[in-house]
Amino acid sequence: MLIGKIQDALNEQIKIEAESSQIYLAMASWAETEGLGGTAQFLYKHSDEERMHMLKLVQYVNERGGKALIPQLSQPAIGYKSLTNLFQTLLNHEIMVSGEINNLVDICLTEKDYTTHNFLQWYVAEQIEEEALARTIMDKLSMIGEDKGGLYLFDRDIDSILITANSENQ
Ligand code: OFO
């Protein structure tokens, strides 16, 4: 059975994951309207993944005899100055999420809830991967700078860039 403090913290994390999904959905939509089809597809997928992170939490809270709260969400940003600006925002957001996951892990240890602690290890690993991916993208973008041809290739090849980065990070 979940105790109140852990349930509250998990419900807070449900909101963070849901907002992540909305933010990346808005980013995808912006990229699509800017003609950045490859980036848009990457972000649509990323948004779906965040929804899956949220669902896992909802089901975990309910399975443990708690009550998951489905939150009201705030309106995400509707536009970005550039791709670099978008991916810097994404990286900052993931760093914030990692901090929140670490706080959750901390609460579990203080409250001696080792089951939830174990459940959260998947999120800890996921955050390492997501931050690494976002940093790889930022490195590529800083190499490309303002070069239009480079940005065109980045958008066309974003999936393969990420597959390579993923295997290098494993
Ligand atoms: Fe991108 O993070 Fe969920 O957990």
Side-chain angles (χ1 to χ4, degrees), residues 71-130:
Q72 183 170 19
L73 303 176
S74 34
Q75 165 85 58
I78 47 174
Y80 294 88
K81 287 197 285 282
S82 62
L83 265 187
T84 302
N85 176 236
L86 182 152
F87 280 108
Q88 185 63 54
T89 307
L90 186 148
L91 173 59
N92 294 345
H93 187 79
E94 289 301 332
I95 292 170
M96 180 282 286
V97 174
S98 299
E100 294 299 323
I101 297 283
N102 288 343
N103 284 340
L104 252 176
V105 169
D106 224 40
I107 296 172
C108 290
L109 289 176
T110 315
E111 300 299 322
K112 298 191 174 10
D113 182 343
Y114 301 114
T115 312
T116 305
H117 180 271
N118 187 44
F119 166 77
L120 288 173
Q121 294 315 301
W122 183 88
Y123 287 84
V124 172
E126 181 71 11
Q127 282 313 118
I128 294 171
E129 234 179 69
E130 292 199 348

